[in-house]
Amino acid sequence: MRPLDFLYPALLTLSACVGEAEALRKTSDSVLLSNVKTLTLRKDLETSHRRVAAVRQLKCIGGNAKGLYDIDVMRCKNQGSDYEDENIQWTCTASLPSEFKLGSTDVICEGYDSSSDPYVLKGSCGVEYRLALTAIGEEKYGRGGDNMWKDFRGKGYVNWSALIFWGIFVAV
């Protein structure tokens, strides 16, 4: 018998035990992200948390309709992965008034052991989204966004103090 012949069975047994222990540890409050089929997220709820602080499940981060409407419920569906098994592509939808449409969405979940862990903490997912105006919304609210002239368009009045200020400023 060669001295290293016992090493191979020992390593195989050890790796099997480590794999089983890892699987047992991950079952209680973690889930493999690729196994999550749908997410239902709500406006007034926060995510569960373990390693980082809790955040709101729904967060509007931009778009020309930001601040004009709050989405109550959003549903996101797992559409599979692209170039890596755990890089999940999500399709998110929400019921919106005709003035608004959903822009880009990013599903963000807390990795169980680290930010790159394919297992995530159950309940830790949230969505950052952008909200945009439709043509109907632009008629009702103006073009939105950071347009400095938005207060003057379609209001039926002239801001005389601003007009006088700019007239004097340009003259000087």
Side-chain angles (χ1 to χ4, degrees), residues 28-169:
S28 62
D29 60 348
S30 66
V31 63
L32 189 61
L33 186 58
S34 59
N35 289 343
V36 177
K37 301 301 178 207
T38 61
L39 297 169
T40 301
L41 306 141
R42 301 182 192 286
K43 174 177 74 169
D44 295 325
L45 295 181
E46 289 191 338
T47 60
S48 58
H49 60 98
R50 179 173 173 261
R51 296 181 309 101
V52 296
V55 295
R56 295 177 60 115
Q57 287 186 355
L58 293 174
K59 180 179 179 185
C60 184
I61 60 168
N64 63 352
K66 180 182 178 186
L68 296 176
Y69 182 79
D70 289 329
I71 295 176
D72 290 326
V73 177
M74 185 179 294
R75 186 166 190 111
C76 298
K77 292 183 181 179
N78 180 333
Q79 297 297 320
S81 59
D82 56 7
Y83 54 89
E84 293 178 353
D85 288 341
E86 293 308 317
N87 190 21
I88 306 302
Q89 300 299 305
W90 297 93
T91 301
C92 298
T93 57
S95 180
L96 297 170
S98 60
E99 295 92 355
F100 305 101
K101 62 183 176 182
L102 194 58
S104 62
T105 56
D106 296 309
V107 174
I108 300 168
C109 304
E110 180 182 337
Y112 194 80
D113 287 327
S114 69
S115 60
S116 61
D117 192 346
Y119 284 84
V120 297
L121 180 65
K122 289 180 182 176
S124 71
C125 295
V127 173
E128 292 181 346
Y129 66 93
R130 288 153 191 82
L131 193 62
L133 292 170
T134 62
I136 296 169
E138 287 182 357
E139 287 178 22
K140 183 174 181 178
Y141 296 104
R143 292 190 56 85
D146 294 327
N147 184 348
M148 65 184 262
W149 300 108
K150 69 180 175 185
D151 290 335
F152 297 107
R153 187 179 320 121
K155 300 290 185 185
Y157 66 90
V158 175
N159 187 338
W160 288 104
S161 60
L163 191 61
I164 292 170
F165 169 80
W166 285 109
I168 294 170
F169 182 78

